[in-house]
Amino acid sequence: MTVASAAKPTWRPAIVLLTRSRGFWLLALLALLALLSVLSVAVGTRDVIWADILAALSGQSDSIGQAAVVVRLPRTVLAIVAGAALAVAGTILQGVTRNPLADPGILGINMGASLAVVIGVAWFGIASAQAYTWTAILGAGCAAIFVYTIGSLGRGGATPLKLALAGAATSIAFSSLVVALMLSRADIAGGLQAWQIGGVGGATFERMAHVLPFLLAGFVISLLSAKKLNSLALGDDMAAGLGERVALARALAAFGAILLCGATTAICGPIAFVGLVVPHLCRLLVGIDHRWLVPFAALVGACLLVAADVVGRVVARPSELDVGIVTAFIGAPFFIWIVRRQRVRDL
């Protein structure tokens, strides 16, 4: 027996097992997402029977139950799309910054998009969905650049801890500016206050159509950046040695995340912690390869936000909690656990 033949059984079964486990988790997540989607359509202030769901899907809306399904369908689709977008954005940001605490909410990107929209409404009178989307993306990009610049100052450059602190401070400052602007404009405060919490209620397919091109572009860029993020994880010098243009790869991946964050915030408002929780869960399932991590993050993020929307409708009947509140209850303890698990000096 040669050395090569003796070594073969040690690594080939491991690869086969890993591939099979990824396939199993993929099927399991797809089944879970389908189940949660059915629950999202069926559960609410008024529960809907299966016959009403089938009738509504065939175009009928005669009964109250069927009308409820017609209203909940776009809400469910928006929860799926927004959850996937935020989770992928968080995965990309954690890869770009090599920061386990990176999240569009924690780094202030969502709040930058929110502030830009509020400024646009209060000072420039924007009202169309296209204007909301472009303004939110611009605000998200400016916030990302600002936080990275502040986090890069001083010794050591942009360390994970400095980026997290800069993002948290920026998020608080932008949030205060948003409140100040809304207090000075009582005529717009009502609508913006509900949007500022972050939710998927009131969704329509017409509104979603305006942000889908930006979300699609963000998903494509993120998927194309997955292999480059694997190289960046080895360190800038090693990535450059492998032929990667480090600055361009990092900027392109970050641009994809900014598109996802800005477009999602434009239609849902700022929803935090999805991009923090999901990447850590996906690494437990499929490892650290971003070529697997990005699509799995999209599935898990969609499941998480749909589940959060269902929970928000159930626990507060006959009213409901917006998904931004539910994800905060989930994400805040998770954030504290990560900080305690990672030694602060190692961040």
Side-chain angles (χ1 to χ4, degrees):
M1 181 180 293
T2 64
V3 175
S5 62
K8 185 182 296 183
T10 63
W11 58 267
R12 181 164 294 178
I15 293 178
V16 172
L17 180 61
L18 182 61
T19 304
R20 287 178 178 174
S21 66
R22 285 170 173 168
F24 167 77
W25 286 117
L26 179 62
L27 293 176
L29 287 172
L30 289 172
L32 177 61
L33 181 58
L35 175 61
L36 289 171
S37 299
V38 173
L39 287 176
S40 178
V41 173
V43 176
T45 304
R46 178 187 180 89
D47 290 340
V48 177
I49 61 175
W50 186 248
D52 285 333
I53 295 176
L54 293 178
L57 291 176
S58 64
Q60 301 180 31
S61 58
D62 301 328
S63 67
I64 297 178
Q66 294 167 7
V69 172
V70 172
V71 172
R72 291 173 188 170
L73 276 174
R75 177 173 185 158
T76 302
V77 173
L78 179 57
I80 293 172
V81 173
L86 292 173
V88 170
T91 303
I92 296 298
L93 290 173
Q94 290 182 13
V96 167
T97 62
R98 296 199 294 271
N99 182 356
L101 302 179
D103 166 79
I106 294 174
L107 293 182
I109 298 176
N110 285 351
M111 195 53 65
S114 177
L115 176 61
V117 169
V118 172
I119 290 175
V121 173
W123 292 354
F124 301 100
I126 66 171
S128 66
Q130 295 94 329
Y132 265 67
T133 304
W134 282 107
T135 303
I137 291 174
L138 178 62
C142 292
I145 294 172
F146 178 76
V147 169
Y148 190 82
T149 302
I150 296 299
S152 300
L153 299 177
R155 297 177 56 185
T159 65
L161 180 60
K162 287 165 64 178
L163 284 175
L165 293 176
T170 300
S171 183
I172 293 172
F174 286 175
S175 179
S176 300
L177 290 174
V178 167
V179 173
L181 286 171
M182 289 196 298
L183 287 177
S184 64
R185 291 291 304 273
D187 55 325
I188 64 172
L192 288 176
Q193 190 173 17
W195 172 81
Q196 187 68 23
I197 298 174
V200 294
T204 63
F205 290 120
E206 182 180 0
R207 290 179 58 203
M208 281 186 279
H210 296 293
V211 301
L212 282 180
F214 299 95
L215 292 174
L216 181 61
F219 281 124
V220 171
I221 293 173
S222 298
L223 287 171
L224 293 176
S225 300
K227 185 177 179 181
K228 299 181 183 298
L229 290 177
N230 288 339
S231 300
L232 293 178
L234 301 174
D236 291 355
D237 294 337
M238 182 66 73
L242 294 173
E244 292 290 349
R245 300 171 65 179
V246 174
L248 180 61
R250 183 172 281 120
L252 185 63
F255 178 66
I258 288 169
L259 283 177
L260 294 173
C261 295
T264 304
T265 303
I267 192 169
C268 297
I271 300 174
F273 292 116
V274 175
L276 173 69
V277 174
V278 171
H280 290 277
L281 296 178
C282 291
R283 289 188 189 97
L284 297 176
L285 299 179
V286 297
I288 60 175
D289 187 346
H290 285 84
R291 291 173 298 180
W292 285 93
L293 202 55
V294 170
F296 267 79
L299 282 175
V300 176
C303 291
L304 176 60
L305 209 64
V306 174
D309 187 34
V310 173
V311 169
R313 284 184 249 166
V314 171
V315 299
R317 282 182 175 178
S319 183
E320 64 180 52
L321 293 176
D322 286 316
V323 291
I325 299 174
V326 179
T327 57
F329 275 110
I330 298 172
F334 192 86
F335 176 74
I336 296 171
W337 175 77
I338 293 176
V339 173
R340 288 178 60 86
R341 184 169 175 264
Q342 299 279 343
R343 295 180 180 179
V344 174
R345 62 176 176 270
D346 292 337
L347 292 176

